[in-house]
């Protein structure tokens, strides 16, 4: 890990209201894809700051206590006089979720100012925060500025109910991919963005367009890591699935965590981001994935599997992950 500089996550925090397949059972859990990644990084021992938007209401307090108890600091201006956003997740009998959203996304002026104060080691964003106006443009502008001093990761984690057509969304997604060092996307994400195209073909193309590493998650079939010179399958970790809420975010957090620990992500003053970016590029400048990346991806898969055994987005701590 690079010094004690925090990781910065920019994106939505909300409450997942989870309903079972038969409807009557409902429970509320703090969530939001970027907030889940921040939570995962905090539980894995990283100083982490989340630039987001939550209210002073009961749901907002639930989110804040949840994040702060795992070491996540909210960027100044993240708490506003507004209603906290929600996502109702309806689970099917296999535990997979479909979402209905009630969300407003924008960064306050105070948050935008805080993003210009002090470089993070690493910046992560994705999902609704990178797609929903007016906040999406704020996030994109922030990422352009942060990239000079920090490494970057991105997870499109598309929510079709909130988006325009795939044709209209692709340009922004492709710009974010090109800005990133590490990208994670699900098979479903890429199938929606490029209907009729094999997701593997899209992932391979993305790996040649900017990121050093693109990870395609395949649900129960594990994952596949793509880089400029090839790909490698990541075996699935068996799990007794309760639900899949937050599994992809746990994967992302654990992957970023491991790459920070080994110096393949991370930035700060001077040339540290350039150094880490070059090291990650060098590690993937081969036709076989090096052991350090294989291990990082295996740990990420384990984090996702553990999260599937719990209700809601509940990523593991370091102690739980290394058992």
């Amino acid at each position: 890990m690079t010094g004690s500089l925090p990781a910065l996550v920019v994106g939505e925090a909300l409450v997942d209201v989870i309903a079972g397949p038969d409807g009557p059972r409902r429970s509320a859990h703090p969530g939001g894809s970027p907030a889940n990644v921040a939570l995962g990084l905090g539980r894995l021992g990283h100083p982490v700051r989340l630039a987001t938007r939550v209210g002073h209401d009961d749901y907002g307090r639930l989110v804040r206590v949840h994040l702060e108890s795992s070491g996540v600091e909210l960027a100044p201006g993240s708490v506003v006089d507004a209603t906290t956003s929600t996502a109702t997740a309806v689970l099917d009998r296999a535990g997979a979720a479909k979402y209905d959203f009630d969300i407003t996304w924008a960064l306050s002026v105070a948050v935008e100012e805080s993003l210009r104060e002090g470089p993070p080691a690493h910046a992560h964003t994705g999902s609704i925060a990178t797609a929903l106006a007016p906040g999406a443009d704020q996030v994109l502008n922030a990422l352009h500025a942060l990239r000079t001093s920090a490494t970057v990761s991105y997870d499109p984690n598309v929510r079709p109910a909130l988006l325009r057509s795939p044709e209209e969304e692709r340009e922004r997604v492709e710009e974010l991919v090109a800005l990133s060092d590490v990208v994670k996307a699900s098979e479903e994400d890429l199938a929606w963005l490029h209907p009729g195209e094999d997701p593997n073909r899209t992932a391979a193309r993305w790996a040649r367009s900017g990121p050093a590493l693109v990870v395609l998650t395949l649900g129960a079939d594990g994952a596949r890591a793509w880089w400029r010179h090839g790909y490698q399958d990541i075996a699935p970790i068996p799990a007794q699935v309760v639900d899949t809420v937050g599994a992809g975010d746990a994967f992302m957090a654990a992957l970023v965590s491991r790459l920070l620990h080994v110096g393949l992500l991370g930035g700060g003053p001077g040339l540290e981001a350039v150094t880490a970016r070059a090291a990650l590029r060098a590690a993937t400048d081969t036709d076989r994935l090096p052991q350090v990346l294989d291990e990082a991806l295996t740990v990420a898969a384990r984090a996702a599997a553990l999260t599937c055994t719990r209700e809601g987005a509940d990523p593991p701590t370091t102690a739980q992950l290394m058992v």
Side-chain angles (χ1 to χ4, degrees):
M1 186 174 174
T2 305
S4 59
L5 291 171
L8 172 69
V9 179
V10 185
E12 72 274 6
L14 46 79
V15 170
D16 289 322
V17 180
I18 299 177
D22 299 320
R25 177 176 167 275
R26 297 167 71 89
S27 57
H29 302 269
S33 177
N36 293 339
V37 173
L39 183 76
L41 286 169
R43 289 187 178 180
L44 294 174
H46 296 268
V48 57
R49 181 177 298 142
L50 175 65
T52 190
R53 174 191 174 94
V54 294
H56 289 286
D57 54 2
D58 288 344
Y59 276 165
R61 284 189 288 274
L62 178 67
V63 169
R64 297 197 307 274
V65 170
H66 179 66
L67 292 169
E68 290 166 1
S69 67
S70 290
V72 179
E73 174 191 353
L74 293 188
S78 292
V79 184
V80 298
D81 188 15
T83 301
T84 301
S85 298
T86 61
T88 299
V90 180
L91 304 178
D92 63 22
R93 298 192 182 279
K98 290 187 177 180
Y99 290 89
D100 182 28
F101 295 93
D102 181 5
I103 183 168
T104 298
W105 172 244
L107 296 173
S108 71
V109 173
V111 170
E112 289 189 289
E113 290 175 350
S114 75
L115 294 180
R116 295 190 285 269
E117 297 175 1
H122 178 79
H124 172 79
T125 193
S127 198
I128 296 166
T130 58
L132 189 65
D137 285 342
Q138 296 171 295
V139 174
L140 183 60
N141 291 338
L143 216 62
H144 274 286
L146 290 166
R147 193 179 188 278
T148 60
S149 57
T151 52
V152 175
S153 58
Y154 167 56
D155 177 2
N157 197 8
V158 299
R159 303 302 190 191
L162 295 172
L163 302 180
R164 303 167 297 174
S165 68
E167 292 77 13
E168 293 172 295
E169 295 295 335
R170 281 181 207 144
E171 182 178 356
R172 184 186 297 273
V173 170
E174 299 281 344
E175 184 175 358
L176 287 159
V177 167
L179 282 170
S180 301
D181 300 290
V182 175
V183 173
K184 181 198 76 69
S186 70
E187 199 172 26
E188 293 81 6
D189 290 337
L190 299 193
W192 185 85
L193 283 165
H194 295 276
E197 181 175 325
D198 182 350
N200 287 285
R201 181 177 177 182
T202 305
R205 177 170 54 78
W206 281 5
R208 298 190 296 269
S209 71
L213 187 67
V214 175
V215 182
L216 179 63
T217 56
L218 305 170
D221 294 325
R224 180 168 290 154
W226 288 88
W227 63 102
R228 283 183 298 175
H229 304 290
Y231 70 89
Q232 182 168 311
D233 288 330
I234 309 303
I237 307 295
Q240 193 72 34
V241 176
V242 172
D243 68 48
T244 62
V245 176
D249 303 323
F251 186 107
M252 184 89 252
L255 177 59
V256 169
S257 173
R258 296 310 303 165
L259 296 182
L260 283 168
H261 273 299
V262 298
L264 297 181
L265 289 178
L271 298 177
E272 292 179 32
V274 174
T275 302
R277 187 168 286 129
L280 180 59
R281 180 66 69 187
T284 56
D285 195 18
T286 174
D287 59 0
R288 183 170 179 81
L289 204 64
Q291 184 177 357
V292 65
L293 285 174
D294 184 51
E295 290 174 347
L297 288 158
T298 299
V299 169
R302 187 179 303 129
L306 283 169
T307 304
C308 286
T309 67
R310 308 168 178 182
E311 188 177 77
D314 188 9
T317 63
T318 299
Q320 293 164 341
L321 188 55
M322 296 306 175
V323 169

